[in-house]
Amino acid sequence: MRAKTHRRFCWLIGGPLCLFIAAAWAANDPAVPLLWREVGDQASAGRPFPPKKPWVIREREIVFDPQLLVLLKNAAARPIPPIAIDLFHGHAYELDVSSTLARLSDVSTIRGSLKHAPKATWSLIISGNVVNGTVQVGDRLYKIEHVFNGRHRLQEVDPVKVPPD
């Protein structure tokens, strides 16, 4: 009787665990291209970023894939192929695009959620190669901002400390 209970327990725990591992594996698929990548320290040596603001928990310089930006901006290019983003945890999240609004002035607003991540939304405003946006994953808030000369940074911010706009 005890062995039967043990097998049932393992099956109940093992099934959801396998689903979780499969979802994590799919989200970190190396075949899914990243919308941005981190810029190494050597690229930032030319001109440092402005000082970190008190509400910023951590930040890093990123560079966008120009082809993926063009694809996201094109409202007619649906469905789009898988595109992922990498925040700070080394975990890639696949984007799920829900709306794209493109204007004649070359400004696009794109919104969506993150696949396999409950309570996760994102929005980007793209003008040429300048990008600003936010990503919300649960209680964590991330900001993407253009700093200068096409340089961008990804920041994790403390929502309690951020001053109102």
Side-chain angles (χ1 to χ4, degrees):
M1 180 73 170
R2 189 171 195 193
K4 195 181 222 182
T5 304
H6 179 71
R7 277 190 300 238
R8 247 188 240 146
F9 175 76
C10 289
W11 185 84
L12 287 173
I13 297 299
L17 183 60
C18 286
L19 287 174
F20 175 76
I21 291 170
W25 183 271
N28 286 311
D29 184 356
V32 176
L34 291 173
L35 181 57
W36 64 70
R37 64 176 172 76
E38 184 173 3
V39 176
D41 292 334
Q42 68 278 6
S44 300
R47 187 171 172 192
F49 275 151
K52 190 165 88 169
K53 297 171 183 136
W55 54 86
V56 175
I57 297 169
R58 53 188 165 172
E59 64 183 15
R60 66 180 183 181
E61 185 173 355
I62 58 174
V63 63
F64 285 89
D65 181 318
Q67 293 174 331
L68 294 178
L69 282 180
V70 169
L71 185 65
L72 278 175
K73 286 175 63 172
N74 185 356
R78 298 294 179 258
I80 63 166
I83 299 173
I85 59 172
D86 179 19
L87 299 170
F88 289 97
H89 340 87
H91 175 77
Y93 294 95
E94 190 176 333
L95 300 179
D96 187 12
V97 178
S98 59
S99 72
T100 300
L101 176 62
R103 297 184 181 93
L104 293 175
S105 61
D106 193 35
V107 175
S108 295
T109 304
I110 302 103
R111 291 188 169 95
S113 59
L114 301 175
K115 293 182 180 177
H116 310 294
K119 297 182 185 176
T121 60
W122 60 272
S123 65
L124 296 175
I125 298 173
I126 306 170
S127 176
N129 65 349
V130 173
V131 181
N132 286 293
T134 59
V135 179
Q136 178 89 37
V137 181
D139 294 335
R140 293 178 176 241
L141 179 62
Y142 305 90
K143 294 210 176 262
I144 299 143
E145 67 177 22
H146 178 257
V147 183
F148 53 80
N149 294 339
R151 292 177 66 186
H152 294 83
R153 68 175 153 198
L154 171 67
Q155 302 173 325
E156 181 177 3
V157 298
D158 183 343
V160 174
K161 294 181 182 178
V162 174
D165 288 335

